[in-house]
Amino acid sequence: MKVLVTGGTGFFGSHICEALRGAGHETAALGSRDIDIRKPFTLPRVDMLIHAAANPKVFLAREKPLEDFRLNALGTLHALEAMRFAGIGKIIYISTNMVYTSRQDSKEDDPAGPSDQGGPYGLSKLAGEQYVKVYASLYGFNYLILRPASLYGPRMYKNAVMDLVEGFMEKKPVKLHHHIDSLVDFLYIEDAARAVCAGLDWEDMTLNLGSGCGTSIRKIYGILKDIFRDDIPLQWSEERIINTVNAEKIKGLGWRPKVAIEEGLGNTVEFFRSNVCRG
């Protein structure tokens, strides 16, 4: 199968491309140097489009909501227009669990919309979902919408796990944005990429993508302490969150996460240690 991946050079997109190639698919990756999704662009004729391109700096969406909209909502509309004119019949849209009004054990049919937690990022990604469904109805596309929880692993960007890994590697204090006892559904990036590969055969549905359980940031900190055999000072806010998804629907289709949090963190640390050494 010929698959085109927008955002294919980014964190999730690059792992998606690796998983697709490993499964024997012909894959092309489009990054920000190839296309500017904020503007109309064209695509070649392929069997499927995976639209993973998005605002890579979620934490900046509140500071620059208009730019966030251009990248997430308008960027998705441009991708849909491009696939319409190229005659591409299916899109897998990488959304986020930040679309939910409440992110505690969220199910696919739970309310989605504006929320304090999701902020502009969740709203712009939700707009992208709605455009996907409208285009599917108007032009006969098949689609799959995936709503990942908190992804981590090699090549990841800024999040609580990355903050802690950097802190241990640089031996510097870390200030967490949430309480250390917050529960987050952390999913290893290779498990997430496998789900996208499986999704090549799933059509016209919206699925959560996560482990289905929460891991405390305190536990992440403890595992990293054991890996580094070191300690670093921590500060955290009083905001205690629960950010988990209900993953029973996707598990019912045969996908399961394989990488335990201890193994995933070990792989992540090994990658960044190697990357620093090579630099």
Side-chain angles (χ1 to χ4, degrees):
M1 183 180 292
K2 293 183 178 180
V3 184
L4 193 63
V5 183
T6 65
T9 59
F11 172 43
F12 195 6
S14 63
H15 284 277
I16 291 171
C17 289
E18 288 176 359
L20 289 169
R21 291 174 187 137
H25 298 288
E26 184 178 337
T27 307
L30 294 177
S32 57
R33 294 184 179 181
D34 305 302
I35 55 171
D36 183 352
I37 61 173
R38 297 169 298 182
K39 302 174 183 178
F41 58 88
T42 60
L43 293 173
R45 176 70 178 269
V46 292
D47 297 309
M48 190 175 306
L49 174 67
I50 299 176
H51 184 51
N55 172 15
K57 299 178 180 178
V58 177
F59 60 98
L60 291 180
R62 296 174 189 272
E63 295 179 20
K64 297 182 178 180
L66 184 56
E67 181 67 3
D68 177 76
F69 177 86
R70 290 190 185 105
L71 288 164
N72 289 350
L74 185 58
T76 300
L77 186 56
H78 286 151
L80 290 164
E81 277 289 278
M83 67 177 289
R84 177 164 76 96
F85 286 107
I88 302 170
K90 180 177 176 180
I91 181 172
I92 297 179
Y93 174 63
I94 307 301
S95 184
T96 173
N97 76 317
M98 294 176 75
V99 301
Y100 292 109
T101 55
S102 172
R103 288 191 284 159
Q104 183 171 345
D105 194 37
S106 306
K107 299 180 178 65
E108 287 84 354
D109 55 357
D110 282 349
S115 69
D116 290 339
Q117 274 193 307
Y121 186 86
L123 190 57
S124 62
K125 292 296 284 185
L126 181 60
E129 287 190 14
Q130 298 303 320
Y131 276 120
V132 167
K133 292 179 180 179
V134 168
Y135 267 66
S137 176
L138 287 176
Y139 305 114
F141 293 167
N142 291 317
Y143 73 90
L144 172 67
I145 295 170
L146 293 175
R147 293 172 171 171
S150 296
L151 305 180
Y152 76 98
R155 304 194 290 273
M156 67 181 170
Y157 300 140
K158 187 175 178 64
N159 60 17
V161 174
M162 190 68 227
D163 289 344
L164 288 170
V165 170
E166 285 183 338
F168 276 103
M169 290 186 66
E170 298 173 12
K171 299 183 183 299
K172 66 180 184 181
V174 171
K175 186 174 182 179
L176 299 170
H177 297 288
H178 299 109
H179 196 279
I180 194 171
D181 291 320
S182 294
L183 292 176
V184 179
D185 192 331
F186 291 109
L187 180 67
Y188 189 59
I189 192 65
E190 290 181 7
D191 280 334
R194 282 194 306 103
V196 177
C197 282
L200 299 182
D201 297 324
W202 303 334
E203 292 184 353
D204 302 337
M205 62 179 70
T206 299
L207 297 171
N208 287 334
L209 178 54
S211 67
C213 63
T215 300
S216 73
I217 300 175
R218 186 183 296 276
K219 181 175 180 178
I220 300 293
Y221 176 66
I223 295 170
L224 291 174
K225 279 179 63 177
D226 291 340
I227 292 173
F228 284 95
R229 298 180 182 179
D230 200 354
D231 199 357
I232 55 172
L234 281 185
Q235 292 182 348
W236 55 84
S237 78
E238 291 304 311
E239 184 185 11
R240 191 186 308 249
I241 65 166
I242 298 178
N243 180 9
T244 58
V245 298
N246 184 300
E248 292 307 308
K249 191 172 179 181
I250 193 170
K251 289 179 180 178
L253 294 170
W255 172 87
R256 290 282 194 287
K258 293 181 178 180
V259 180
I261 191 72
E262 293 83 0
E263 180 185 356
L265 289 173
N267 294 343
T268 302
V269 171
E270 182 180 354
F271 170 83
F272 284 105
R273 277 174 166 168
S274 299
N275 191 54
V276 168
C277 291
R278 288 172 188 162

